[in-house]
Amino acid sequence: MTATSPIRIAPSILSADFAALGDAVRAIDAAGADYIHVDVMDGHFVPNITIGPNVVKALRPHSQKIFDVHLMIAPADPYLESFAAAGADIITIHPEASPHFHRSLQTIRGLGKRAGLALNPATPVDVLDHVMDLVDLVLVMTVNPGFGGQAYIPLADKIRSVRQKIATSGRDIDLEVDGGINPQTAREVIAAGANVLVAGTAVFSGGADTYAANIAALRG
């Protein structure tokens, strides 16, 4: 994606009511979400536990939008096939969660899915150097993963560096940002080159009647 591509909004269901996830997915779909962002945490790689492939499978009939599944789990490799079969469209892993993440990215693409690589705030961008031919999405984390509702870490310089690597590659790669995204921080990350924004609290605050306005506000 070029820096001028339309901005896509990927509401994170981590901030939804877990007792009514199907309703939440349908509501954000109707409100104009581009992707459905699914945060998978294992209580090991990150200090929280969320959902697994069976929940993704159960949610899949509730929306035809792209399921953007972020695996904050280690090891990730044993679960790639399960999440692909459950209905994930994009599967994003962390380089720290797979000792051979080049192979992991190959596996995801071999399953017919788009492959993403997530960079924690302290993960250097040069981990991308030898896998740009395998990634379809780069996720820059602007919080340390594991919890929703955290404060944004200013990393515009890192986002710009990733955008430059994408431009140099000549490939159609999404640049996604996740962490503390609201209408104010959205402007900063968009200016730095992001074209997909993950937001939980900023979308789900106020209830279903506000989702459309909340999503529109993030687009700028």
Side-chain angles (χ1 to χ4, degrees), residues 29-65:
D29 183 325
D34 299 291
Y35 295 175
I36 309 298
H37 191 81
V38 183
D39 287 306
V40 178
M41 306 180 187
D42 64 358
H44 171 69
F45 184 66
V46 294
N48 201 355
I49 298 173
T50 55
I51 64 176
N54 286 341
V55 175
V56 174
K57 182 178 180 180
L59 292 175
R60 184 68 270 189
H62 292 273
S63 174
Q64 295 303 308
K65 297 289 175 67

PDB file of all heavy atoms in Angstrom, residues 29-65:
ATOM      1  N   ASP A  29     -19.030  -4.346  11.954  1.00  0.00           N
ATOM      2  CA  ASP A  29     -19.130  -4.559  10.514  1.00  0.00           C
ATOM      3  C   ASP A  29     -20.113  -3.542   9.927  1.00  0.00           C
ATOM      4  O   ASP A  29     -19.787  -2.808   8.986  1.00  0.00           O
ATOM      5  CB  ASP A  29     -19.594  -5.990  10.254  1.00  0.00           C
ATOM      6  CG  ASP A  29     -19.655  -6.345   8.769  1.00  0.00           C
ATOM      7  OD1 ASP A  29     -19.987  -5.469   7.956  1.00  0.00           O
ATOM      8  OD2 ASP A  29     -19.400  -7.519   8.432  1.00  0.00           O
ATOM      9  N   ALA A  30     -21.283  -3.457  10.511  1.00  0.00           N
ATOM     10  CA  ALA A  30     -22.307  -2.527  10.015  1.00  0.00           C
ATOM     11  C   ALA A  30     -21.883  -1.072  10.161  1.00  0.00           C
ATOM     12  O   ALA A  30     -22.310  -0.211   9.384  1.00  0.00           O
ATOM     13  CB  ALA A  30     -23.623  -2.765  10.760  1.00  0.00           C
ATOM     14  N   ALA A  31     -21.018  -0.793  11.145  1.00  0.00           N
ATOM     15  CA  ALA A  31     -20.591   0.581  11.406  1.00  0.00           C
ATOM     16  C   ALA A  31     -19.460   1.046  10.505  1.00  0.00           C
ATOM     17  O   ALA A  31     -19.038   2.198  10.584  1.00  0.00           O
ATOM     18  CB  ALA A  31     -20.171   0.713  12.873  1.00  0.00           C
ATOM     19  N   GLY A  32     -18.952   0.144   9.665  1.00  0.00           N
ATOM     20  CA  GLY A  32     -17.951   0.559   8.695  1.00  0.00           C
ATOM     21  C   GLY A  32     -16.549   0.055   8.926  1.00  0.00           C
ATOM     22  O   GLY A  32     -15.598   0.536   8.285  1.00  0.00           O
ATOM     23  N   ALA A  33     -16.366  -0.916   9.821  1.00  0.00           N
ATOM     24  CA  ALA A  33     -15.034  -1.498  10.014  1.00  0.00           C
ATOM     25  C   ALA A  33     -14.556  -2.121   8.707  1.00  0.00           C
ATOM     26  O   ALA A  33     -15.346  -2.692   7.947  1.00  0.00           O
ATOM     27  CB  ALA A  33     -15.073  -2.545  11.117  1.00  0.00           C
ATOM     28  N   ASP A  34     -13.258  -2.022   8.451  1.00  0.00           N
ATOM     29  CA  ASP A  34     -12.673  -2.648   7.265  1.00  0.00           C
ATOM     30  C   ASP A  34     -12.174  -4.051   7.577  1.00  0.00           C
ATOM     31  O   ASP A  34     -12.323  -4.963   6.761  1.00  0.00           O
ATOM     32  CB  ASP A  34     -11.516  -1.796   6.749  1.00  0.00           C
ATOM     33  CG  ASP A  34     -11.981  -0.405   6.357  1.00  0.00           C
ATOM     34  OD1 ASP A  34     -12.705  -0.292   5.350  1.00  0.00           O
ATOM     35  OD2 ASP A  34     -11.652   0.558   7.076  1.00  0.00           O
ATOM     36  N   TYR A  35     -11.546  -4.210   8.727  1.00  0.00           N
ATOM     37  CA  TYR A  35     -11.057  -5.494   9.202  1.00  0.00           C
ATOM     38  C   TYR A  35     -11.664  -5.758  10.574  1.00  0.00           C
ATOM     39  O   TYR A  35     -12.052  -4.820  11.290  1.00  0.00           O
ATOM     40  CB  TYR A  35      -9.523  -5.490   9.376  1.00  0.00           C
ATOM     41  CG  TYR A  35      -8.667  -5.334   8.135  1.00  0.00           C
ATOM     42  CD1 TYR A  35      -7.285  -5.230   8.265  1.00  0.00           C
ATOM     43  CD2 TYR A  35      -9.205  -5.283   6.847  1.00  0.00           C
ATOM     44  CE1 TYR A  35      -6.462  -5.082   7.152  1.00  0.00           C
ATOM     45  CE2 TYR A  35      -8.396  -5.141   5.745  1.00  0.00           C
ATOM     46  CZ  TYR A  35      -7.020  -5.038   5.889  1.00  0.00           C
ATOM     47  OH  TYR A  35      -6.208  -4.898   4.788  1.00  0.00           O
ATOM     48  N   ILE A  36     -11.712  -7.004  10.964  1.00  0.00           N
ATOM     49  CA  ILE A  36     -12.037  -7.397  12.337  1.00  0.00           C
ATOM     50  C   ILE A  36     -10.728  -7.884  12.954  1.00  0.00           C
ATOM     51  O   ILE A  36     -10.175  -8.896  12.534  1.00  0.00           O
ATOM     52  CB  ILE A  36     -13.095  -8.522  12.388  1.00  0.00           C
ATOM     53  CG1 ILE A  36     -14.330  -8.171  11.534  1.00  0.00           C
ATOM     54  CG2 ILE A  36     -13.465  -8.822  13.833  1.00  0.00           C
ATOM     55  CD1 ILE A  36     -15.080  -6.942  11.966  1.00  0.00           C
ATOM     56  N   HIS A  37     -10.227  -7.148  13.939  1.00  0.00           N
ATOM     57  CA  HIS A  37      -8.934  -7.470  14.538  1.00  0.00           C
ATOM     58  C   HIS A  37      -9.140  -8.364  15.750  1.00  0.00           C
ATOM     59  O   HIS A  37      -9.854  -8.006  16.691  1.00  0.00           O
ATOM     60  CB  HIS A  37      -8.201  -6.190  14.946  1.00  0.00           C
ATOM     61  CG  HIS A  37      -6.766  -6.418  15.337  1.00  0.00           C
ATOM     62  ND1 HIS A  37      -5.750  -6.543  14.424  1.00  0.00           N
ATOM     63  CD2 HIS A  37      -6.200  -6.564  16.560  1.00  0.00           C
ATOM     64  CE1 HIS A  37      -4.604  -6.745  15.054  1.00  0.00           C
ATOM     65  NE2 HIS A  37      -4.847  -6.766  16.359  1.00  0.00           N
ATOM     66  N   VAL A  38      -8.488  -9.519  15.718  1.00  0.00           N
ATOM     67  CA  VAL A  38      -8.653 -10.526  16.768  1.00  0.00           C
ATOM     68  C   VAL A  38      -7.315 -10.713  17.482  1.00  0.00           C
ATOM     69  O   VAL A  38      -6.343 -11.196  16.891  1.00  0.00           O
ATOM     70  CB  VAL A  38      -9.133 -11.867  16.179  1.00  0.00           C
ATOM     71  CG1 VAL A  38      -9.363 -12.875  17.291  1.00  0.00           C
ATOM     72  CG2 VAL A  38     -10.415 -11.671  15.356  1.00  0.00           C
ATOM     73  N   ASP A  39      -7.273 -10.324  18.745  1.00  0.00           N
ATOM     74  CA  ASP A  39      -6.056 -10.434  19.546  1.00  0.00           C
ATOM     75  C   ASP A  39      -6.051 -11.766  20.287  1.00  0.00           C
ATOM     76  O   ASP A  39      -6.904 -12.009  21.148  1.00  0.00           O
ATOM     77  CB  ASP A  39      -5.979  -9.289  20.556  1.00  0.00           C
ATOM     78  CG  ASP A  39      -5.649  -7.956  19.902  1.00  0.00           C
ATOM     79  OD1 ASP A  39      -4.635  -7.895  19.189  1.00  0.00           O
ATOM     80  OD2 ASP A  39      -6.413  -6.990  20.090  1.00  0.00           O
ATOM     81  N   VAL A  40      -5.081 -12.608  19.953  1.00  0.00           N
ATOM     82  CA  VAL A  40      -4.960 -13.924  20.573  1.00  0.00           C
ATOM     83  C   VAL A  40      -3.764 -13.901  21.519  1.00  0.00           C
ATOM     84  O   VAL A  40      -2.626 -13.661  21.086  1.00  0.00           O
ATOM     85  CB  VAL A  40      -4.777 -15.019  19.501  1.00  0.00           C
ATOM     86  CG1 VAL A  40      -4.601 -16.384  20.149  1.00  0.00           C
ATOM     87  CG2 VAL A  40      -5.964 -15.014  18.534  1.00  0.00           C
ATOM     88  N   MET A  41      -4.031 -14.128  22.806  1.00  0.00           N
ATOM     89  CA  MET A  41      -2.987 -14.072  23.830  1.00  0.00           C
ATOM     90  C   MET A  41      -2.997 -15.368  24.633  1.00  0.00           C
ATOM     91  O   MET A  41      -4.059 -15.946  24.879  1.00  0.00           O
ATOM     92  CB  MET A  41      -3.224 -12.887  24.767  1.00  0.00           C
ATOM     93  CG  MET A  41      -3.365 -11.546  24.067  1.00  0.00           C
ATOM     94  SD  MET A  41      -3.629 -10.213  25.250  1.00  0.00           S
ATOM     95  CE  MET A  41      -3.972  -8.844  24.136  1.00  0.00           C
ATOM     96  N   ASP A  42      -1.789 -15.774  25.056  1.00  0.00           N
ATOM     97  CA  ASP A  42      -1.664 -17.100  25.665  1.00  0.00           C
ATOM     98  C   ASP A  42      -1.259 -17.103  27.138  1.00  0.00           C
ATOM     99  O   ASP A  42      -1.087 -18.174  27.728  1.00  0.00           O
ATOM    100  CB  ASP A  42      -0.665 -17.942  24.865  1.00  0.00           C
ATOM    101  CG  ASP A  42       0.763 -17.371  24.887  1.00  0.00           C
ATOM    102  OD1 ASP A  42       0.977 -16.298  25.502  1.00  0.00           O
ATOM    103  OD2 ASP A  42       1.659 -18.003  24.296  1.00  0.00           O
ATOM    104  N   GLY A  43      -1.071 -15.936  27.749  1.00  0.00           N
ATOM    105  CA  GLY A  43      -0.639 -15.905  29.138  1.00  0.00           C
ATOM    106  C   GLY A  43       0.803 -16.318  29.322  1.00  0.00           C
ATOM    107  O   GLY A  43       1.273 -16.464  30.453  1.00  0.00           O
ATOM    108  N   HIS A  44       1.510 -16.490  28.215  1.00  0.00           N
ATOM    109  CA  HIS A  44       2.915 -16.922  28.253  1.00  0.00           C
ATOM    110  C   HIS A  44       3.785 -15.912  27.510  1.00  0.00           C
ATOM    111  O   HIS A  44       4.662 -15.293  28.110  1.00  0.00           O
ATOM    112  CB  HIS A  44       3.043 -18.317  27.625  1.00  0.00           C
ATOM    113  CG  HIS A  44       4.448 -18.763  27.407  1.00  0.00           C
ATOM    114  ND1 HIS A  44       5.301 -19.068  28.432  1.00  0.00           N
ATOM    115  CD2 HIS A  44       5.164 -18.950  26.260  1.00  0.00           C
ATOM    116  CE1 HIS A  44       6.482 -19.425  27.940  1.00  0.00           C
ATOM    117  NE2 HIS A  44       6.428 -19.352  26.627  1.00  0.00           N
ATOM    118  N   PHE A  45       3.506 -15.725  26.234  1.00  0.00           N
ATOM    119  CA  PHE A  45       4.232 -14.711  25.462  1.00  0.00           C
ATOM    120  C   PHE A  45       3.860 -13.312  25.929  1.00  0.00           C
ATOM    121  O   PHE A  45       4.690 -12.396  25.934  1.00  0.00           O
ATOM    122  CB  PHE A  45       3.930 -14.888  23.970  1.00  0.00           C
ATOM    123  CG  PHE A  45       4.701 -13.955  23.082  1.00  0.00           C
ATOM    124  CD1 PHE A  45       6.073 -14.049  22.966  1.00  0.00           C
ATOM    125  CD2 PHE A  45       4.042 -12.974  22.348  1.00  0.00           C
ATOM    126  CE1 PHE A  45       6.794 -13.190  22.143  1.00  0.00           C
ATOM    127  CE2 PHE A  45       4.748 -12.108  21.520  1.00  0.00           C
ATOM    128  CZ  PHE A  45       6.133 -12.223  21.427  1.00  0.00           C
ATOM    129  N   VAL A  46       2.596 -13.142  26.307  1.00  0.00           N
ATOM    130  CA  VAL A  46       2.115 -11.883  26.891  1.00  0.00           C
ATOM    131  C   VAL A  46       1.321 -12.212  28.156  1.00  0.00           C
ATOM    132  O   VAL A  46       0.805 -13.317  28.303  1.00  0.00           O
ATOM    133  CB  VAL A  46       1.226 -11.095  25.894  1.00  0.00           C
ATOM    134  CG1 VAL A  46       2.040 -10.616  24.706  1.00  0.00           C
ATOM    135  CG2 VAL A  46       0.043 -11.932  25.423  1.00  0.00           C
ATOM    136  N   PRO A  47       1.204 -11.244  29.077  1.00  0.00           N
ATOM    137  CA  PRO A  47       0.578 -11.540  30.373  1.00  0.00           C
ATOM    138  C   PRO A  47      -0.945 -11.444  30.358  1.00  0.00           C
ATOM    139  O   PRO A  47      -1.548 -10.675  31.102  1.00  0.00           O
ATOM    140  CB  PRO A  47       1.189 -10.482  31.292  1.00  0.00           C
ATOM    141  CG  PRO A  47       1.455  -9.318  30.385  1.00  0.00           C
ATOM    142  CD  PRO A  47       1.827  -9.902  29.065  1.00  0.00           C
ATOM    143  N   ASN A  48      -1.566 -12.195  29.497  1.00  0.00           N
ATOM    144  CA  ASN A  48      -3.026 -12.204  29.454  1.00  0.00           C
ATOM    145  C   ASN A  48      -3.434 -13.433  28.636  1.00  0.00           C
ATOM    146  O   ASN A  48      -2.638 -13.964  27.863  1.00  0.00           O
ATOM    147  CB  ASN A  48      -3.576 -10.930  28.806  1.00  0.00           C
ATOM    148  CG  ASN A  48      -5.012 -10.652  29.171  1.00  0.00           C
ATOM    149  OD1 ASN A  48      -5.664 -11.455  29.837  1.00  0.00           O
ATOM    150  ND2 ASN A  48      -5.531  -9.517  28.735  1.00  0.00           N
ATOM    151  N   ILE A  49      -4.667 -13.883  28.802  1.00  0.00           N
ATOM    152  CA  ILE A  49      -5.208 -14.994  28.027  1.00  0.00           C
ATOM    153  C   ILE A  49      -6.521 -14.522  27.413  1.00  0.00           C
ATOM    154  O   ILE A  49      -7.369 -13.949  28.111  1.00  0.00           O
ATOM    155  CB  ILE A  49      -5.462 -16.233  28.914  1.00  0.00           C
ATOM    156  CG1 ILE A  49      -4.145 -16.742  29.526  1.00  0.00           C
ATOM    157  CG2 ILE A  49      -6.132 -17.344  28.114  1.00  0.00           C
ATOM    158  CD1 ILE A  49      -4.328 -17.859  30.536  1.00  0.00           C
ATOM    159  N   THR A  50      -6.678 -14.736  26.104  1.00  0.00           N
ATOM    160  CA  THR A  50      -7.928 -14.294  25.472  1.00  0.00           C
ATOM    161  C   THR A  50      -8.647 -15.479  24.841  1.00  0.00           C
ATOM    162  O   THR A  50      -9.302 -16.239  25.539  1.00  0.00           O
ATOM    163  CB  THR A  50      -7.659 -13.172  24.449  1.00  0.00           C
ATOM    164  OG1 THR A  50      -6.685 -13.613  23.485  1.00  0.00           O
ATOM    165  CG2 THR A  50      -7.172 -11.907  25.142  1.00  0.00           C
ATOM    166  N   ILE A  51      -8.497 -15.654  23.528  1.00  0.00           N
ATOM    167  CA  ILE A  51      -9.322 -16.641  22.831  1.00  0.00           C
ATOM    168  C   ILE A  51      -8.466 -17.536  21.948  1.00  0.00           C
ATOM    169  O   ILE A  51      -7.285 -17.253  21.705  1.00  0.00           O
ATOM    170  CB  ILE A  51     -10.406 -15.952  21.982  1.00  0.00           C
ATOM    171  CG1 ILE A  51      -9.766 -15.111  20.871  1.00  0.00           C
ATOM    172  CG2 ILE A  51     -11.316 -15.101  22.857  1.00  0.00           C
ATOM    173  CD1 ILE A  51     -10.750 -14.471  19.935  1.00  0.00           C
ATOM    174  N   GLY A  52      -9.073 -18.609  21.458  1.00  0.00           N
ATOM    175  CA  GLY A  52      -8.387 -19.539  20.585  1.00  0.00           C
ATOM    176  C   GLY A  52      -9.116 -19.718  19.268  1.00  0.00           C
ATOM    177  O   GLY A  52     -10.089 -19.005  18.971  1.00  0.00           O
ATOM    178  N   PRO A  53      -8.677 -20.680  18.459  1.00  0.00           N
ATOM    179  CA  PRO A  53      -9.257 -20.847  17.123  1.00  0.00           C
ATOM    180  C   PRO A  53     -10.734 -21.205  17.134  1.00  0.00           C
ATOM    181  O   PRO A  53     -11.453 -20.856  16.186  1.00  0.00           O
ATOM    182  CB  PRO A  53      -8.412 -21.965  16.498  1.00  0.00           C
ATOM    183  CG  PRO A  53      -7.677 -22.602  17.621  1.00  0.00           C
ATOM    184  CD  PRO A  53      -7.524 -21.563  18.676  1.00  0.00           C
ATOM    185  N   ASN A  54     -11.230 -21.878  18.157  1.00  0.00           N
ATOM    186  CA  ASN A  54     -12.653 -22.229  18.175  1.00  0.00           C
ATOM    187  C   ASN A  54     -13.536 -20.988  18.253  1.00  0.00           C
ATOM    188  O   ASN A  54     -14.634 -20.969  17.683  1.00  0.00           O
ATOM    189  CB  ASN A  54     -12.959 -23.168  19.339  1.00  0.00           C
ATOM    190  CG  ASN A  54     -12.464 -24.583  19.095  1.00  0.00           C
ATOM    191  OD1 ASN A  54     -12.216 -24.964  17.958  1.00  0.00           O
ATOM    192  ND2 ASN A  54     -12.317 -25.356  20.157  1.00  0.00           N
ATOM    193  N   VAL A  55     -13.067 -19.966  18.958  1.00  0.00           N
ATOM    194  CA  VAL A  55     -13.843 -18.722  19.030  1.00  0.00           C
ATOM    195  C   VAL A  55     -13.796 -18.003  17.685  1.00  0.00           C
ATOM    196  O   VAL A  55     -14.806 -17.463  17.224  1.00  0.00           O
ATOM    197  CB  VAL A  55     -13.332 -17.825  20.168  1.00  0.00           C
ATOM    198  CG1 VAL A  55     -14.068 -16.484  20.169  1.00  0.00           C
ATOM    199  CG2 VAL A  55     -13.517 -18.521  21.513  1.00  0.00           C
ATOM    200  N   VAL A  56     -12.633 -17.993  17.050  1.00  0.00           N
ATOM    201  CA  VAL A  56     -12.546 -17.401  15.708  1.00  0.00           C
ATOM    202  C   VAL A  56     -13.511 -18.104  14.757  1.00  0.00           C
ATOM    203  O   VAL A  56     -14.239 -17.460  13.987  1.00  0.00           O
ATOM    204  CB  VAL A  56     -11.098 -17.469  15.178  1.00  0.00           C
ATOM    205  CG1 VAL A  56     -11.031 -16.996  13.732  1.00  0.00           C
ATOM    206  CG2 VAL A  56     -10.167 -16.644  16.058  1.00  0.00           C
ATOM    207  N   LYS A  57     -13.550 -19.426  14.828  1.00  0.00           N
ATOM    208  CA  LYS A  57     -14.469 -20.200  13.976  1.00  0.00           C
ATOM    209  C   LYS A  57     -15.922 -19.840  14.270  1.00  0.00           C
ATOM    210  O   LYS A  57     -16.743 -19.709  13.345  1.00  0.00           O
ATOM    211  CB  LYS A  57     -14.241 -21.690  14.201  1.00  0.00           C
ATOM    212  CG  LYS A  57     -15.103 -22.591  13.335  1.00  0.00           C
ATOM    213  CD  LYS A  57     -14.787 -24.060  13.585  1.00  0.00           C
ATOM    214  CE  LYS A  57     -15.647 -24.971  12.720  1.00  0.00           C
ATOM    215  NZ  LYS A  57     -15.329 -26.405  12.961  1.00  0.00           N
ATOM    216  N   ALA A  58     -16.245 -19.656  15.549  1.00  0.00           N
ATOM    217  CA  ALA A  58     -17.618 -19.313  15.924  1.00  0.00           C
ATOM    218  C   ALA A  58     -18.001 -17.915  15.450  1.00  0.00           C
ATOM    219  O   ALA A  58     -19.173 -17.657  15.127  1.00  0.00           O
ATOM    220  CB  ALA A  58     -17.782 -19.416  17.444  1.00  0.00           C
ATOM    221  N   LEU A  59     -17.028 -17.006  15.395  1.00  0.00           N
ATOM    222  CA  LEU A  59     -17.305 -15.623  14.974  1.00  0.00           C
ATOM    223  C   LEU A  59     -17.342 -15.477  13.456  1.00  0.00           C
ATOM    224  O   LEU A  59     -17.968 -14.544  12.945  1.00  0.00           O
ATOM    225  CB  LEU A  59     -16.243 -14.683  15.535  1.00  0.00           C
ATOM    226  CG  LEU A  59     -16.242 -14.488  17.046  1.00  0.00           C
ATOM    227  CD1 LEU A  59     -15.062 -13.617  17.469  1.00  0.00           C
ATOM    228  CD2 LEU A  59     -17.551 -13.851  17.523  1.00  0.00           C
ATOM    229  N   ARG A  60     -16.713 -16.391  12.746  1.00  0.00           N
ATOM    230  CA  ARG A  60     -16.560 -16.244  11.300  1.00  0.00           C
ATOM    231  C   ARG A  60     -17.888 -16.019  10.564  1.00  0.00           C
ATOM    232  O   ARG A  60     -17.955 -15.172   9.658  1.00  0.00           O
ATOM    233  CB  ARG A  60     -15.819 -17.464  10.743  1.00  0.00           C
ATOM    234  CG  ARG A  60     -15.489 -17.448   9.263  1.00  0.00           C
ATOM    235  CD  ARG A  60     -14.445 -16.414   8.895  1.00  0.00           C
ATOM    236  NE  ARG A  60     -14.982 -15.106   8.545  1.00  0.00           N
ATOM    237  CZ  ARG A  60     -14.238 -14.131   8.033  1.00  0.00           C
ATOM    238  NH1 ARG A  60     -12.935 -14.317   7.808  1.00  0.00           N
ATOM    239  NH2 ARG A  60     -14.780 -12.959   7.747  1.00  0.00           N
ATOM    240  N   PRO A  61     -18.988 -16.704  10.924  1.00  0.00           N
ATOM    241  CA  PRO A  61     -20.239 -16.476  10.197  1.00  0.00           C
ATOM    242  C   PRO A  61     -20.858 -15.101  10.428  1.00  0.00           C
ATOM    243  O   PRO A  61     -21.776 -14.711   9.704  1.00  0.00           O
ATOM    244  CB  PRO A  61     -21.168 -17.572  10.746  1.00  0.00           C
ATOM    245  CG  PRO A  61     -20.274 -18.609  11.323  1.00  0.00           C
ATOM    246  CD  PRO A  61     -19.104 -17.856  11.850  1.00  0.00           C
ATOM    247  N   HIS A  62     -20.358 -14.346  11.394  1.00  0.00           N
ATOM    248  CA  HIS A  62     -20.980 -13.070  11.744  1.00  0.00           C
ATOM    249  C   HIS A  62     -20.498 -11.908  10.883  1.00  0.00           C
ATOM    250  O   HIS A  62     -21.037 -10.805  10.982  1.00  0.00           O
ATOM    251  CB  HIS A  62     -20.738 -12.762  13.224  1.00  0.00           C
ATOM    252  CG  HIS A  62     -21.449 -13.697  14.152  1.00  0.00           C
ATOM    253  ND1 HIS A  62     -22.751 -13.506  14.572  1.00  0.00           N
ATOM    254  CD2 HIS A  62     -21.044 -14.856  14.725  1.00  0.00           C
ATOM    255  CE1 HIS A  62     -23.108 -14.501  15.365  1.00  0.00           C
ATOM    256  NE2 HIS A  62     -22.103 -15.332  15.467  1.00  0.00           N
ATOM    257  N   SER A  63     -19.488 -12.116  10.057  1.00  0.00           N
ATOM    258  CA  SER A  63     -18.999 -11.040   9.198  1.00  0.00           C
ATOM    259  C   SER A  63     -18.220 -11.618   8.029  1.00  0.00           C
ATOM    260  O   SER A  63     -17.502 -12.608   8.176  1.00  0.00           O
ATOM    261  CB  SER A  63     -18.088 -10.093   9.995  1.00  0.00           C
ATOM    262  OG  SER A  63     -17.508  -9.121   9.150  1.00  0.00           O
ATOM    263  N   GLN A  64     -18.345 -10.955   6.889  1.00  0.00           N
ATOM    264  CA  GLN A  64     -17.539 -11.302   5.717  1.00  0.00           C
ATOM    265  C   GLN A  64     -16.298 -10.431   5.610  1.00  0.00           C
ATOM    266  O   GLN A  64     -15.508 -10.581   4.669  1.00  0.00           O
ATOM    267  CB  GLN A  64     -18.385 -11.153   4.446  1.00  0.00           C
ATOM    268  CG  GLN A  64     -19.551 -12.124   4.377  1.00  0.00           C
ATOM    269  CD  GLN A  64     -19.105 -13.578   4.466  1.00  0.00           C
ATOM    270  OE1 GLN A  64     -18.232 -14.017   3.715  1.00  0.00           O
ATOM    271  NE2 GLN A  64     -19.676 -14.320   5.407  1.00  0.00           N
ATOM    272  N   LYS A  65     -16.109  -9.515   6.553  1.00  0.00           N
ATOM    273  CA  LYS A  65     -14.929  -8.653   6.541  1.00  0.00           C
ATOM    274  C   LYS A  65     -13.669  -9.478   6.815  1.00  0.00           C
ATOM    275  O   LYS A  65     -13.725 -10.608   7.308  1.00  0.00           O
ATOM    276  CB  LYS A  65     -15.071  -7.544   7.601  1.00  0.00           C
ATOM    277  CG  LYS A  65     -16.235  -6.577   7.362  1.00  0.00           C
ATOM    278  CD  LYS A  65     -15.989  -5.665   6.199  1.00  0.00           C
ATOM    279  CE  LYS A  65     -17.183  -4.774   5.872  1.00  0.00           C
ATOM    280  NZ  LYS A  65     -17.495  -3.785   6.911  1.00  0.00           N
TER     281      LYS A  65
END
